[in-house]
Amino acid sequence: METTNSVPPPIDEESTENRGSMWDLDQKLDQPMEEEAGRLKNMYREKKFSSLLVFRLAFQSLGVVYGDLGTSPLYVFYNTFPDGIKESEDVIGALSLIIYSLTLIPLIKYVFVVLRANDNGQGGTFALYSLLCRHAKVNTIPNQHRTDEQLTTYSRHIFHEKSFAAKTKRWLEATALRRNLLLILVLVGTCMVIGDGILTPAISDVVIVVSAVVLVGLFSMQHYGTDRVGWLFAPIVLLWFLLIGGIGAFNIWKYDSSVLKAFSPVYIYRYFRRGGWRTLGGIMLSITGTEALFADLAHFPVSAVQLAFTMLVFPCLLLAYTGQAAYIIKNQDHVIDAFYRSIPQSIYWPVFIIATGAAIVASQATISATFSIIKQALALGCFPRVKVVHTSKKFLGQIYIPDINWILMLMCIGVTVGFRNQSQIGNAYGTAVVTVMLVTTFLMILVMLLVWRSHWILVVIFTVLSLIVECTYFSAVLLKIDQGGWVPLVIAVVFFIIMYVWHYGTVKRYEVELHSKVSMAWILGLGPSLGLVRVPGIGLVYTELASGVPHIFSHFITNLPAIHSVVIFVCVKYLPVYTVPQEERFLVKRIGPKEFHMFRCVARYGYKDLHKKDDDFEKKLFENLFLFVRLESMMEGCSDSDEYSLYGQQTVRSGDSQLTENRNMISLNVDSTMTSSGDDGIIPAQASALIAASNFFSSAGQTSYQSELDETEYLKSCRDAGVVHILGNTIVRARRDSKFLKKISIDYIYAFLKRVCRENSVIFHVPHESLLNVGQIFYV
């Protein structure tokens, strides 16, 4: 069955102006979620890692995070001097640039600054965006409510009105254009990281047939998960770093120790004066893979990544580049394959084998980073629904996305086959890398102002140092656009269109749902039977609305002669937080009078959370529903003169006396707003809340207890009779008077993405035998 609908001009869901008496009635019968949401008394803390575990994870991170950055010595000098070396001092100048690039970007900017901007261990551009969304109203997904801000993981700061942070916040929130530009900036950075993940394997190998075979093998291993892949690859990368560091030190001693003067920045100035600016595209390859340090934080803790870089990766890279420069100065004709020629003959073949293995492993960093950022984009409504597999029971951030894995593999092979010139691949690679770094810099400026509230002098220092290096490199790679640099731009454009159109369609679909929701007055007019036969069972009606009765329900009861005895509107939504603690996940409330047997349940998830299978989800949902009924019944059993406020100070008033001595006894793990029988509140239910409340309300009387028992038994009998999942199969179409670009986006691109992505029933693990799809057509 299908229906059509169109959406009027956007209206704020929380706006109450000019609503009239009908709105007042709706609000009284179906109050917003903030009436019941609470805050845990003990703040949710990130898991602390022991020193031994940090060392273990630091070792594993070598095989996942640092392969890309560590294999750059294989091709940096060749891409820097593809036409040969004119003066030996050019090698010193290039080495000086490499040394200071590694120091300023990976070490200072990322390891010491950007890694600290993680969202409770989550990294990448979307992690920065989620931080900003919590500190300013810049989130373009419209289903956020004030209740979400009461989550213990929804940490944010309150600004002084006249502070610079407050002014920045108001400037960002002022117009929809600025919010959209921020989203576009985040999407550009995300798309460039994906392009980075596609280009990394292509630059690491030379023989096309071998490369294709290696790529197939590498991507086929991804389903084993980061933990196993890390254990497998880490020994190779560890041995690789020790070898290149040792060989570099040997070459410095053997060939020319005078290269150490490259640590003086004077040689950078001299290098630029001789026209070295044009070779920056090759030098920039020395810091490729740096963004993976941040994006791969979902797989490893910050301390592990910092430890591995400062203690092993950074010093070995400095030795490797310095030693290679010492060899090139004495053997300028060998710049094309300087790394392999600089290996001592006695260990050549073992190093060659390790180098080949390290080149294969290099791709792992960007592959893992791609999985992480797509999972974040998926949760924030910016990517079509795909299957996400959590590969570790210990670390939820370690994931595998099969669909994306095979798409990356095909695109990697295509780039490898299409570009036989490694220099062209290097140019393309550089364009992707420097663009991501620039996006991270701009987002970090906002994070430092809004989240950290740093002094403006520190913000200026960070901005100037970052932009001097990155803008210089960016100006150089712009000259290489026609020499391969266009490849990541094309890849980024394709993924950007996919992500932006999906986000645009998602927002428009939600606006339709919002403006077509059913009036509670109409529901009440139908009576407890809803004008239909109430058959045994529970109907779970899935909706994106966190308040109000969705249009799908009116369409359902208008076209069918029967409805289930109990109806629960289920809203599953993701928030811009890394996780929602289990005890705060479900919000439950009653809709209308008791005899209607209608409830609402909002299940909230962070972008790190795992949406469990249907039986687990149902179990938790019904546990919270039964607990809500019991708590609600306890409140009704108390005298109307009592006022219970377990929101904030947890004080109880009985007449004129304030029973502050009972504060601890009735203190719940959640500051739940529980109202008297005249109001309609929503209670985050949990076992500890029930125990505490039961102790306090033990004298409530038998009437409420019997009422609670009767309704609980009724709900259980309905559950045993069967649970049916009712999902809306919404088709979105552009209106006839829409502009051409909008019609293309909605009617073709969004429609195609919706057809090929995974259905909601699959995402929610709904069994086919209990699934009912209700078709709708919405015109936007």
mmCIF file of all heavy atoms in Angstrom, residues 415-449:
data_model
loop_
_atom_site.group_PDB
_atom_site.id
_atom_site.type_symbol
_atom_site.label_atom_id
_atom_site.label_comp_id
_atom_site.label_asym_id
_atom_site.label_seq_id
_atom_site.Cartn_x
_atom_site.Cartn_y
_atom_site.Cartn_z
ATOM 1 N N VAL A 415 43.587 1.961 -10.704
ATOM 2 C CA VAL A 415 44.613 3.016 -10.684
ATOM 3 C C VAL A 415 45.990 2.434 -10.990
ATOM 4 O O VAL A 415 46.780 3.020 -11.736
ATOM 5 C CB VAL A 415 44.614 3.726 -9.313
ATOM 6 C CG1 VAL A 415 45.816 4.662 -9.193
ATOM 7 C CG2 VAL A 415 43.331 4.507 -9.122
ATOM 8 N N THR A 416 46.278 1.256 -10.420
ATOM 9 C CA THR A 416 47.586 0.627 -10.638
ATOM 10 C C THR A 416 47.792 0.286 -12.109
ATOM 11 O O THR A 416 48.866 0.508 -12.678
ATOM 12 C CB THR A 416 47.705 -0.653 -9.791
ATOM 13 O OG1 THR A 416 47.477 -0.323 -8.417
ATOM 14 C CG2 THR A 416 49.088 -1.266 -9.927
ATOM 15 N N VAL A 417 46.755 -0.259 -12.746
ATOM 16 C CA VAL A 417 46.854 -0.629 -14.161
ATOM 17 C C VAL A 417 46.866 0.611 -15.052
ATOM 18 O O VAL A 417 47.601 0.691 -16.038
ATOM 19 C CB VAL A 417 45.689 -1.568 -14.546
ATOM 20 C CG1 VAL A 417 45.682 -1.826 -16.050
ATOM 21 C CG2 VAL A 417 45.797 -2.874 -13.775
ATOM 22 N N GLY A 418 46.048 1.617 -14.685
ATOM 23 C CA GLY A 418 45.919 2.801 -15.523
ATOM 24 C C GLY A 418 47.119 3.717 -15.479
ATOM 25 O O GLY A 418 47.410 4.413 -16.458
ATOM 26 N N PHE A 419 47.861 3.719 -14.356
ATOM 27 C CA PHE A 419 49.016 4.614 -14.219
ATOM 28 C C PHE A 419 50.285 3.787 -14.101
ATOM 29 O O PHE A 419 50.622 3.299 -13.034
ATOM 30 C CB PHE A 419 48.861 5.504 -12.979
ATOM 31 C CG PHE A 419 47.895 6.618 -13.178
ATOM 32 C CD1 PHE A 419 46.547 6.408 -12.988
ATOM 33 C CD2 PHE A 419 48.323 7.875 -13.566
ATOM 34 C CE1 PHE A 419 45.642 7.425 -13.174
ATOM 35 C CE2 PHE A 419 47.429 8.909 -13.749
ATOM 36 C CZ PHE A 419 46.078 8.678 -13.554
ATOM 37 N N ARG A 420 50.964 3.652 -15.189
ATOM 38 C CA ARG A 420 52.202 2.867 -15.168
ATOM 39 C C ARG A 420 53.398 3.731 -14.772
ATOM 40 O O ARG A 420 54.468 3.214 -14.520
ATOM 41 C CB ARG A 420 52.430 2.248 -16.547
ATOM 42 C CG ARG A 420 51.274 1.345 -16.962
ATOM 43 C CD ARG A 420 51.559 0.595 -18.239
ATOM 44 N NE ARG A 420 50.459 -0.263 -18.608
ATOM 45 C CZ ARG A 420 50.468 -1.110 -19.633
ATOM 46 N NH1 ARG A 420 51.544 -1.191 -20.404
ATOM 47 N NH2 ARG A 420 49.413 -1.852 -19.896
ATOM 48 N N ASN A 421 53.207 5.038 -14.754
ATOM 49 C CA ASN A 421 54.265 5.958 -14.365
ATOM 50 C C ASN A 421 54.129 6.262 -12.882
ATOM 51 O O ASN A 421 53.152 6.868 -12.445
ATOM 52 C CB ASN A 421 54.145 7.255 -15.192
ATOM 53 C CG ASN A 421 55.326 8.178 -14.952
ATOM 54 O OD1 ASN A 421 55.948 8.144 -13.903
ATOM 55 N ND2 ASN A 421 55.622 9.004 -15.955
ATOM 56 N N GLN A 422 55.120 5.832 -12.089
ATOM 57 C CA GLN A 422 55.040 6.030 -10.647
ATOM 58 C C GLN A 422 55.035 7.508 -10.282
ATOM 59 O O GLN A 422 54.448 7.909 -9.278
ATOM 60 C CB GLN A 422 56.219 5.331 -9.954
ATOM 61 C CG GLN A 422 56.050 5.223 -8.445
ATOM 62 C CD GLN A 422 57.316 4.763 -7.768
ATOM 63 O OE1 GLN A 422 58.395 5.253 -8.027
ATOM 64 N NE2 GLN A 422 57.174 3.799 -6.880
ATOM 65 N N SER A 423 55.675 8.345 -11.088
ATOM 66 C CA SER A 423 55.705 9.778 -10.818
ATOM 67 C C SER A 423 54.309 10.373 -10.874
ATOM 68 O O SER A 423 53.940 11.223 -10.061
ATOM 69 C CB SER A 423 56.624 10.483 -11.819
ATOM 70 O OG SER A 423 56.654 11.867 -11.565
ATOM 71 N N GLN A 424 53.497 9.933 -11.837
ATOM 72 C CA GLN A 424 52.128 10.423 -11.943
ATOM 73 C C GLN A 424 51.292 9.998 -10.742
ATOM 74 O O GLN A 424 50.483 10.768 -10.222
ATOM 75 C CB GLN A 424 51.485 9.911 -13.237
ATOM 76 C CG GLN A 424 52.020 10.584 -14.491
ATOM 77 C CD GLN A 424 51.252 10.149 -15.721
ATOM 78 O OE1 GLN A 424 50.718 9.053 -15.786
ATOM 79 N NE2 GLN A 424 51.199 11.024 -16.714
ATOM 80 N N ILE A 425 51.481 8.753 -10.289
ATOM 81 C CA ILE A 425 50.763 8.290 -9.102
ATOM 82 C C ILE A 425 51.187 9.113 -7.893
ATOM 83 O O ILE A 425 50.365 9.483 -7.049
ATOM 84 C CB ILE A 425 51.022 6.790 -8.854
ATOM 85 C CG1 ILE A 425 50.531 5.965 -10.044
ATOM 86 C CG2 ILE A 425 50.326 6.329 -7.580
ATOM 87 C CD1 ILE A 425 50.806 4.490 -9.918
ATOM 88 N N GLY A 426 52.483 9.432 -7.829
ATOM 89 C CA GLY A 426 52.975 10.254 -6.727
ATOM 90 C C GLY A 426 52.341 11.636 -6.718
ATOM 91 O O GLY A 426 52.000 12.172 -5.656
ATOM 92 N N ASN A 427 52.164 12.230 -7.895
ATOM 93 C CA ASN A 427 51.509 13.538 -7.975
ATOM 94 C C ASN A 427 50.066 13.461 -7.495
ATOM 95 O O ASN A 427 49.583 14.343 -6.782
ATOM 96 C CB ASN A 427 51.542 14.054 -9.421
ATOM 97 C CG ASN A 427 52.950 14.359 -9.887
ATOM 98 O OD1 ASN A 427 53.837 14.638 -9.088
ATOM 99 N ND2 ASN A 427 53.165 14.292 -11.192
ATOM 100 N N ALA A 428 49.373 12.405 -7.908
ATOM 101 C CA ALA A 428 47.986 12.225 -7.477
ATOM 102 C C ALA A 428 47.907 12.019 -5.975
ATOM 103 O O ALA A 428 47.045 12.570 -5.276
ATOM 104 C CB ALA A 428 47.368 11.027 -8.210
ATOM 105 N N TYR A 429 48.820 11.221 -5.480
ATOM 106 C CA TYR A 429 48.880 10.905 -4.052
ATOM 107 C C TYR A 429 49.098 12.166 -3.221
ATOM 108 O O TYR A 429 48.428 12.408 -2.208
ATOM 109 C CB TYR A 429 50.030 9.921 -3.844
ATOM 110 C CG TYR A 429 50.039 9.193 -2.533
ATOM 111 C CD1 TYR A 429 48.879 8.943 -1.828
ATOM 112 C CD2 TYR A 429 51.250 8.733 -2.013
ATOM 113 C CE1 TYR A 429 48.912 8.255 -0.628
ATOM 114 C CE2 TYR A 429 51.291 8.038 -0.815
ATOM 115 C CZ TYR A 429 50.123 7.811 -0.129
ATOM 116 O OH TYR A 429 50.154 7.133 1.053
ATOM 117 N N GLY A 430 50.013 13.017 -3.680
ATOM 118 C CA GLY A 430 50.320 14.246 -2.964
ATOM 119 C C GLY A 430 49.135 15.187 -2.889
ATOM 120 O O GLY A 430 48.891 15.833 -1.860
ATOM 121 N N THR A 431 48.373 15.283 -3.969
ATOM 122 C CA THR A 431 47.195 16.142 -3.977
ATOM 123 C C THR A 431 46.188 15.715 -2.914
ATOM 124 O O THR A 431 45.627 16.547 -2.193
ATOM 125 C CB THR A 431 46.524 16.108 -5.364
ATOM 126 O OG1 THR A 431 47.483 16.458 -6.367
ATOM 127 C CG2 THR A 431 45.357 17.070 -5.424
ATOM 128 N N ALA A 432 45.949 14.411 -2.789
ATOM 129 C CA ALA A 432 44.996 13.902 -1.801
ATOM 130 C C ALA A 432 45.483 14.185 -0.383
ATOM 131 O O ALA A 432 44.719 14.629 0.475
ATOM 132 C CB ALA A 432 44.783 12.399 -2.003
ATOM 133 N N VAL A 433 46.769 13.940 -0.144
ATOM 134 C CA VAL A 433 47.319 14.059 1.212
ATOM 135 C C VAL A 433 47.258 15.487 1.716
ATOM 136 O O VAL A 433 46.796 15.763 2.831
ATOM 137 C CB VAL A 433 48.772 13.534 1.247
ATOM 138 C CG1 VAL A 433 49.436 13.872 2.571
ATOM 139 C CG2 VAL A 433 48.793 12.033 1.022
ATOM 140 N N VAL A 434 47.724 16.449 0.902
ATOM 141 C CA VAL A 434 47.803 17.836 1.370
ATOM 142 C C VAL A 434 46.402 18.431 1.548
ATOM 143 O O VAL A 434 46.179 19.262 2.436
ATOM 144 C CB VAL A 434 48.656 18.683 0.403
ATOM 145 C CG1 VAL A 434 47.926 18.956 -0.892
ATOM 146 C CG2 VAL A 434 49.067 19.998 1.057
ATOM 147 N N THR A 435 45.433 17.995 0.754
ATOM 148 C CA THR A 435 44.064 18.495 0.919
ATOM 149 C C THR A 435 43.469 18.048 2.255
ATOM 150 O O THR A 435 42.823 18.835 2.950
ATOM 151 C CB THR A 435 43.176 18.005 -0.239
ATOM 152 O OG1 THR A 435 43.760 18.383 -1.485
ATOM 153 C CG2 THR A 435 41.782 18.611 -0.144
ATOM 154 N N VAL A 436 43.701 16.792 2.611
ATOM 155 C CA VAL A 436 43.214 16.293 3.904
ATOM 156 C C VAL A 436 43.848 17.069 5.050
ATOM 157 O O VAL A 436 43.172 17.428 6.031
ATOM 158 C CB VAL A 436 43.517 14.788 4.053
ATOM 159 C CG1 VAL A 436 43.088 14.292 5.428
ATOM 160 C CG2 VAL A 436 42.801 13.992 2.981
ATOM 161 N N MET A 437 45.132 17.344 4.931
ATOM 162 C CA MET A 437 45.825 18.088 5.995
ATOM 163 C C MET A 437 45.262 19.496 6.157
ATOM 164 O O MET A 437 45.100 19.994 7.276
ATOM 165 C CB MET A 437 47.319 18.144 5.700
ATOM 166 C CG MET A 437 48.018 16.805 5.842
ATOM 167 S SD MET A 437 49.770 16.923 5.474
ATOM 168 C CE MET A 437 50.283 15.237 5.821
ATOM 169 N N LEU A 438 44.951 20.151 5.050
ATOM 170 C CA LEU A 438 44.378 21.490 5.124
ATOM 171 C C LEU A 438 43.005 21.463 5.782
ATOM 172 O O LEU A 438 42.680 22.332 6.613
ATOM 173 C CB LEU A 438 44.271 22.091 3.715
ATOM 174 C CG LEU A 438 45.562 22.654 3.124
ATOM 175 C CD1 LEU A 438 45.373 22.992 1.656
ATOM 176 C CD2 LEU A 438 46.011 23.893 3.893
ATOM 177 N N VAL A 439 42.184 20.479 5.438
ATOM 178 C CA VAL A 439 40.861 20.351 6.056
ATOM 179 C C VAL A 439 40.998 20.150 7.560
ATOM 180 O O VAL A 439 40.283 20.770 8.362
ATOM 181 C CB VAL A 439 40.081 19.184 5.420
ATOM 182 C CG1 VAL A 439 38.819 18.871 6.230
ATOM 183 C CG2 VAL A 439 39.715 19.507 3.978
ATOM 184 N N THR A 440 41.928 19.278 7.961
ATOM 185 C CA THR A 440 42.148 19.031 9.394
ATOM 186 C C THR A 440 42.582 20.305 10.106
ATOM 187 O O THR A 440 42.143 20.573 11.235
ATOM 188 C CB THR A 440 43.211 17.936 9.586
ATOM 189 O OG1 THR A 440 42.775 16.734 8.955
ATOM 190 C CG2 THR A 440 43.452 17.658 11.058
ATOM 191 N N THR A 441 43.430 21.105 9.462
ATOM 192 C CA THR A 441 43.876 22.361 10.073
ATOM 193 C C THR A 441 42.707 23.301 10.329
ATOM 194 O O THR A 441 42.566 23.869 11.423
ATOM 195 C CB THR A 441 44.915 23.051 9.176
ATOM 196 O OG1 THR A 441 46.058 22.211 9.036
ATOM 197 C CG2 THR A 441 45.349 24.392 9.757
ATOM 198 N N PHE A 442 41.843 23.484 9.336
ATOM 199 C CA PHE A 442 40.701 24.386 9.501
ATOM 200 C C PHE A 442 39.747 23.889 10.585
ATOM 201 O O PHE A 442 39.218 24.686 11.376
ATOM 202 C CB PHE A 442 39.962 24.553 8.172
ATOM 203 C CG PHE A 442 40.738 25.320 7.139
ATOM 204 C CD1 PHE A 442 40.932 24.804 5.860
ATOM 205 C CD2 PHE A 442 41.289 26.554 7.443
ATOM 206 C CE1 PHE A 442 41.653 25.513 4.911
ATOM 207 C CE2 PHE A 442 42.023 27.269 6.503
ATOM 208 C CZ PHE A 442 42.196 26.750 5.237
ATOM 209 N N LEU A 443 39.511 22.595 10.634
ATOM 210 C CA LEU A 443 38.639 22.049 11.680
ATOM 211 C C LEU A 443 39.281 22.181 13.057
ATOM 212 O O LEU A 443 38.596 22.447 14.055
ATOM 213 C CB LEU A 443 38.324 20.573 11.381
ATOM 214 C CG LEU A 443 37.459 20.308 10.149
ATOM 215 C CD1 LEU A 443 37.304 18.810 9.924
ATOM 216 C CD2 LEU A 443 36.090 20.956 10.290
ATOM 217 N N MET A 444 40.602 21.996 13.110
ATOM 218 C CA MET A 444 41.301 22.118 14.387
ATOM 219 C C MET A 444 41.243 23.550 14.927
ATOM 220 O O MET A 444 41.202 23.756 16.150
ATOM 221 C CB MET A 444 42.760 21.684 14.235
ATOM 222 C CG MET A 444 42.990 20.186 14.332
ATOM 223 S SD MET A 444 42.486 19.508 15.916
ATOM 224 C CE MET A 444 43.473 20.481 17.054
ATOM 225 N N ILE A 445 41.241 24.523 14.054
ATOM 226 C CA ILE A 445 41.122 25.919 14.506
ATOM 227 C C ILE A 445 39.807 26.097 15.273
ATOM 228 O O ILE A 445 39.772 26.686 16.357
ATOM 229 C CB ILE A 445 41.187 26.880 13.310
ATOM 230 C CG1 ILE A 445 42.576 26.832 12.667
ATOM 231 C CG2 ILE A 445 40.849 28.304 13.743
ATOM 232 C CD1 ILE A 445 42.671 27.587 11.356
ATOM 233 N N LEU A 446 38.725 25.554 14.715
ATOM 234 C CA LEU A 446 37.430 25.652 15.391
ATOM 235 C C LEU A 446 37.405 24.847 16.679
ATOM 236 O O LEU A 446 36.823 25.278 17.678
ATOM 237 C CB LEU A 446 36.324 25.170 14.440
ATOM 238 C CG LEU A 446 36.088 26.018 13.187
ATOM 239 C CD1 LEU A 446 35.051 25.359 12.288
ATOM 240 C CD2 LEU A 446 35.645 27.424 13.572
ATOM 241 N N VAL A 447 38.039 23.669 16.672
ATOM 242 C CA VAL A 447 38.085 22.851 17.881
ATOM 243 C C VAL A 447 38.855 23.565 18.982
ATOM 244 O O VAL A 447 38.441 23.571 20.160
ATOM 245 C CB VAL A 447 38.721 21.473 17.578
ATOM 246 C CG1 VAL A 447 39.041 20.725 18.872
ATOM 247 C CG2 VAL A 447 37.791 20.634 16.711
ATOM 248 N N MET A 448 39.984 24.174 18.636
ATOM 249 C CA MET A 448 40.772 24.885 19.633
ATOM 250 C C MET A 448 39.994 26.062 20.230
ATOM 251 O O MET A 448 40.127 26.377 21.414
ATOM 252 C CB MET A 448 42.084 25.380 19.012
ATOM 253 C CG MET A 448 43.032 24.258 18.621
ATOM 254 S SD MET A 448 44.548 24.848 17.835
ATOM 255 C CE MET A 448 45.439 25.469 19.272
ATOM 256 N N LEU A 449 39.154 26.701 19.409
ATOM 257 C CA LEU A 449 38.377 27.841 19.894
ATOM 258 C C LEU A 449 37.159 27.410 20.706
ATOM 259 O O LEU A 449 36.909 27.936 21.795
ATOM 260 C CB LEU A 449 37.925 28.703 18.706
ATOM 261 C CG LEU A 449 39.014 29.489 17.964
ATOM 262 C CD1 LEU A 449 38.443 30.133 16.718
ATOM 263 C CD2 LEU A 449 39.622 30.546 18.874
#
